[in-house]
């Protein structure tokens, strides 16, 4: 019997190495995924860097709007307090410090799966944090109270005229009345509706000045003149004695003293250019003789600096309605009380111009129309709630094509007068309140 060894049939083992073409294709796909992820990562970091200046820009504008609105509503709030016969109190924002934090993070994740395709993931994240700190200061103290209660002087009125503000706004807001004392007239016209006849004449005089300004015939300027002083000479007088004597004389004149008579001895005359008190006229004061300008200055010097000399002469433009006297300027406190009384207690009424007055641009009934309502009006430019009532100033109508709406223009002048009254609150020696959000 013959035995033969039979070999089993051979089987080919499975290949564990992919074809060369497959290896190249999978590597290319992985490389592309890595490149896309890296590009997204770079884009994320760059986007956060671009967002930071944008956020800072918006924050600065929003803080500016907020502080401006606070100041406007603070004025309205104090008018409302005066409306209810309560004392005024002001608070200001002395500083705003805001800290911004911008953070960004990104990462790549790789998941290995065997058998199966690998996976590549991208994680992105970012955060923006704002931490504002505001410091508010109660505006109080003797200096501020004195500035609130002291009448504005003529320089403030002149400054407002130079800015091109409508004269009727300036005078109706800042003047407590007109004292007439010339051209056969002697009276005081109060800017107070309670005294109807006086208020009516005050409004007519203001409209006449406004019409002259519209015709470019109104002058609001300081009196400039030349002042002469004679100094007696003697044989014993030296140059040093003359200089010392001149200094004493000029110092005495600045204090309000007048120069008496001069002896018959030889003397020298010295002159100096003087910028004197402000005057409102219907002519150019520089066309007057020097002595006449000096006399007008001396007439104004007899009154405090919140009295402004008015001289509307009969021989000038608008002279058919002449006026010689003084415009009396009031304090910021009285301005606020006047506006508060105009809401309900002492409302203004319509007044027509005098027949001798020319064209008047604007003549509203109220100096500033502050609306008192139970709810906040939809068309309010500024509004504040006090004692369960809303006090607001309406926005300018889009149909109103005037260059400067009266109501908002008056409120802007009021805000500017308040800024002239307030000192630098960052240096106010009062307890500050810091609010950190």
């Amino acid at each position: 019997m013959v035995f033969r060894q039979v070999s089993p049939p051979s089987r080919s083992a499975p290949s564990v190495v992919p074809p060369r073409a497959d290896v190249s294709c999978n590597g290319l796909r992985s490389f592309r995924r890595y490149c896309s992820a890296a590009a997204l990562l770079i884009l994320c970091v760059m986007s956060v860097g671009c967002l930071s200046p944008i956020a800072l820009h918006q924050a600065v504008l929003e803080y500016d709007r907020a502080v401006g609105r606070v100041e406007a509503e603070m004025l309205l709030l104090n008018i409302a307090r005066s409306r209810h016969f309560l004392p005024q109190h002001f608070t200001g924002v002395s500083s705003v410090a805001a800290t911004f934090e911008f953070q960004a993070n990104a990462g790549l994740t790789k998941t290995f799966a065997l058998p199966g395709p690998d996976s590549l993931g991208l994680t992105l994240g970012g955060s923006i944090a704002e931490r504002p700190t505001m410091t508010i200061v109660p505006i109080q103290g003797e200096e501020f109270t004195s500035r609130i209660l002291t009448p504005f002087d003529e320089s403030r009125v002149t400054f407002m005229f130079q800015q091109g503000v409508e004269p009727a706004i300036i005078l109706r807001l800042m003047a407590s009345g007109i004292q007439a004392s010339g051209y056969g007239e002697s009276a005081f016209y109060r800017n107070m509706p309670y005294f109807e006849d006086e208020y009516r004449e005050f409004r007519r005089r203001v409209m006449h000045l406004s019409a002259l300004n519209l015709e470019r015939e109104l002058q609001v300027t300081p009196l400039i003149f030349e002042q002469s002083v004679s100094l007696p000479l003697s044989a014993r007088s030296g140059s040093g004695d003359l200089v010392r004597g001149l200094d004493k004389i000029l110092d005495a004149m600045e204090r309000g003293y007048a120069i008496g008579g001069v002896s018959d001895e030889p003397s020298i005359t010295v002159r100096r250019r003087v910028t004197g008190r402000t005057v409102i006229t219907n002519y150019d004061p520089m066309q007057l003789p020097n002595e006449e300008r000096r006399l007008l200055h001396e007439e104004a010097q007899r009154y405090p600096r919140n009295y402004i000399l008015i001289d509307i002469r009969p021989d000038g433009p608008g002279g058919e309605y002449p006026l010689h006297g003084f415009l009396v300027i009031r304090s910021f406190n009285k301005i606020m009380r006047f506006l508060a009384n105009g809401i309900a207690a002492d409302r203004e009424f319509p007044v027509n111009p005098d027949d001798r007055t020319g064209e008047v641009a604007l003549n509203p009934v109220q100096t500033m129309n502050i609306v008192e309502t139970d709810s906040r009006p939809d068309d309010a430019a500024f509004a504040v709630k006090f004692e369960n009532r809303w006090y607001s100033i309406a926005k300018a109508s889009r149909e109103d094509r005037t260059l400067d709406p009266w109501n908002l223009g008056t409120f802007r002048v009021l805000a500017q007068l308040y800024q002239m009254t307030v000192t630098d609150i960052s240096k106010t020696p009062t307890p500050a309140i810091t609010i950190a959000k």
Side-chain angles (χ1 to χ4, degrees), residues 64 125 145 174 177 189 219 244 249 278 357:
D64 181 77
T145 304
M174 300 184 66
Y189 306 121
Q219 298 278 341
R244 284 189 293 270
I249 291 175
T278 299
T357 297

Side-chain angles (χ1 to χ4, degrees), residues 216-261:
R216 298 183 179 180
E217 300 291 350
L218 190 69
Q219 298 278 341
V220 182
T221 181
L223 290 164
I224 300 175
F225 59 96
E226 190 178 77
Q227 191 174 42
S228 302
V229 178
S230 296
L231 298 178
L233 295 176
S234 67
R236 293 174 297 178
S237 298
S239 60
D241 295 333
L242 289 176
V243 172
R244 284 189 293 270
L246 178 60
D247 289 340
K248 292 179 180 179
I249 291 175
L250 294 178
D251 182 66
M253 294 178 65
E254 290 177 356
R255 293 173 180 268
Y257 292 95
I259 302 299

Side-chain angles (χ1 to χ4, degrees), residues 128-359:
I128 300 176
E130 177 187 0
R131 297 182 179 87
T133 300
M134 292 165 286
T135 303
I136 61 176
V137 178
I139 306 175
Q140 55 191 13
E142 180 181 358
E143 181 183 0
F144 174 71
T145 304
S146 176
R147 293 166 71 96
I148 285 287
L149 299 180
T150 302
F152 289 105
D153 61 25
E154 58 187 19
S155 64
R156 300 290 190 264
V157 178
T158 304
F159 178 77
M160 287 297 176
F161 270 100
Q162 292 173 347
Q163 303 310 307
V165 180
E166 167 63 35
I169 291 179
I170 300 173
L171 302 183
R172 290 179 63 178
L173 190 65
M174 300 184 66
S176 62
I178 293 177
Q179 176 181 314
S181 57
Y183 304 122
E185 186 179 18
S186 179
F188 189 85
Y189 306 121
R190 279 175 280 196
N191 182 17
M192 188 179 298
Y194 179 80
F195 303 93
E196 293 186 8
D197 293 338
E198 294 181 12
Y199 173 76
R200 189 176 287 109
E201 186 62 24
F202 171 83
R203 287 278 304 276
R204 287 171 179 166
R205 298 290 184 172
V206 168
M207 283 185 280
H208 193 68
L209 295 177
S210 181
L212 287 174
N213 182 74
L214 191 63
E215 297 171 359
R216 298 183 179 180
E217 300 291 350
L218 190 69
Q219 298 278 341
V220 182
T221 181
L223 290 164
I224 300 175
F225 59 96
E226 190 178 77
Q227 191 174 42
S228 302
V229 178
S230 296
L231 298 178
L233 295 176
S234 67
R236 293 174 297 178
S237 298
S239 60
D241 295 333
L242 289 176
V243 172
R244 284 189 293 270
L246 178 60
D247 289 340
K248 292 179 180 179
I249 291 175
L250 294 178
D251 182 66
M253 294 178 65
E254 290 177 356
R255 293 173 180 268
Y257 292 95
I259 302 299
V262 180
S263 64
D264 295 333
E265 296 181 5
S267 62
I268 61 171
T269 301
V270 293
R271 296 180 176 86
R272 67 168 181 167
R273 186 181 180 89
V274 178
T275 300
R277 296 287 296 272
T278 299
V279 63
I280 300 175
T281 64
N282 60 341
Y283 56 88
D284 184 4
M286 292 303 296
Q287 301 301 319
L288 298 177
N290 182 76
E291 182 64 16
E292 194 168 348
R293 279 177 273 144
R294 188 186 65 81
L295 291 176
L296 285 174
H297 167 76
E298 290 187 357
E299 180 184 359
Q301 276 288 78
R302 294 196 291 266
Y303 292 85
R305 300 196 72 86
N306 65 309
Y307 280 63
I308 302 177
L309 181 63
I310 303 177
D311 189 27
I312 306 299
R313 297 192 171 185
D315 56 352
E320 59 274 10
Y321 196 15
L323 173 64
H324 185 88
F326 288 88
L327 182 73
V328 185
I329 306 303
R330 54 190 167 196
S331 65
F332 186 80
N333 178 66
K334 286 190 174 182
I335 291 176
M336 298 288 281
R337 287 176 54 191
F338 169 76
L339 296 175
N341 292 337
I343 298 176
D346 194 17
R347 295 183 63 86
E348 298 178 84
F349 52 84
V351 177
N352 294 322
D354 189 89
D355 294 337
R356 293 164 288 183
T357 297
E359 181 184 355

